[in-house]
Amino acid sequence: HGAVNLALGWACWKAYLGRPDRDWNRCRAMQTLAGAVRSSQAEVALPMYAANLALIRRHWSCLEDVILAAQSNLSACLQSVGRDDEALGLNREIYASCVAMLGVSHDYTIATGYRLARSLCKLGLVEETKIFLRDQLLPVARRSLGSDHGLTLALNQTLARALITTPERTRDDLLEAGAIMKDVVQRRRRVFGPAHPDTLFAEHVL
């Protein structure tokens, strides 16, 4: 972590820098460096992630799963530097690609849907967030992963947040959000234990 991780990232990049663009290890080294830099200097890491995605699209366009991973890295970095509108657009693209490639029930598709829902909620697109979660993501997550799965619980927490943060919230919205969080807390306590960080966070939200 920290300085050690950063030093290893630079060492990795320097080891493969002289290789041609088509060299896969060079591509991975760029990604490793971007990940090491992002924790302390997201603005510096952002062009690295963008270059890494462009490189993969140019030389490995057939590797759709690798492209999705590179897009996810770029989206997360965009959010880290406050470029939430751009991150949202990319998250929409990622989710649509996952649906087309893997289907709506795949766990990775559900995970990318969760990131999309968080992006929508963060930008205040509350109604779209609620519809997306209620009509698409949550029914699929409950069926495919189960109601006690961590990702399903995270989706429920995002729905509760959307209900609370909407400016036009009603008493019924607040009651629904409270009921959702009580259920999430109970499930987290039972599945993950009372001392788990996610359980403690859910209790704090409640």
Side-chain angles (χ1 to χ4, degrees):
H1 299 289
V4 174
N5 190 40
L6 186 60
L8 289 172
W10 279 111
C12 182
W13 174 239
K14 289 177 181 178
Y16 295 101
L17 175 59
R19 297 193 179 188
D21 281 358
R22 279 187 169 275
D23 188 277
W24 178 245
N25 288 325
R26 183 183 186 276
C27 180
R28 291 298 301 273
M30 182 189 295
Q31 184 179 356
T32 299
L33 175 59
V37 170
R38 181 188 158 198
S39 59
S40 59
Q41 296 176 292
E43 297 85 355
V44 177
L46 185 59
M48 297 179 185
Y49 279 126
N52 183 249
L53 175 58
L55 191 65
I56 293 169
R57 280 176 165 160
R58 183 163 64 248
H59 296 304
W60 298 280
S61 59
C62 61
L63 301 179
E64 295 180 340
D65 57 332
V66 177
I67 291 174
L68 285 172
Q71 287 178 312
S72 296
N73 287 332
L74 178 58
S75 171
C77 196
L78 283 167
Q79 288 183 307
S80 296
V81 299
R83 291 165 62 174
D84 296 313
D85 287 325
E86 294 173 72
L88 174 59
L90 194 51
N91 281 332
R92 289 187 192 275
E93 182 181 342
I94 293 167
Y95 179 71
S97 297
C98 284
V99 170
M101 186 171 67
L102 303 172
V104 294
S105 299
H106 195 280
D107 56 353
Y108 191 76
T109 303
I110 297 171
T112 59
Y114 168 61
R115 288 193 288 272
L116 173 54
R118 285 175 57 86
S119 289
L120 291 166
C121 192
K122 187 175 182 181
L123 285 169
L125 301 172
V126 178
E127 286 305 313
E128 186 178 355
T129 305
K130 291 190 291 186
I131 292 170
F132 182 46
L133 286 167
R134 281 175 169 153
D135 296 350
Q136 296 184 51
L137 278 183
L138 274 168
V140 171
R142 293 183 185 118
R143 185 172 62 250
S144 301
L145 305 175
S147 296
D148 289 339
H149 192 280
L151 187 51
T152 307
L153 296 175
L155 291 170
N156 274 302
Q157 285 183 222
T158 304
L159 176 57
R161 179 186 174 193
L163 288 165
I164 293 170
T165 56
T166 178
E168 298 82 15
R169 62 182 178 271
T170 64
R171 183 172 180 273
D172 287 342
D173 290 331
L174 296 177
L175 289 173
E176 183 183 356
I180 290 171
M181 287 309 304
K182 285 179 182 178
D183 181 68
V184 168
V185 168
Q186 290 174 355
R187 291 179 185 277
R188 288 200 180 279
R189 284 173 179 166
R190 186 177 70 252
V191 177
F192 301 104
H196 192 279
D198 289 343
T199 304
L200 296 175
F201 178 75
E203 290 176 339
H204 174 73
V205 172
L206 178 61

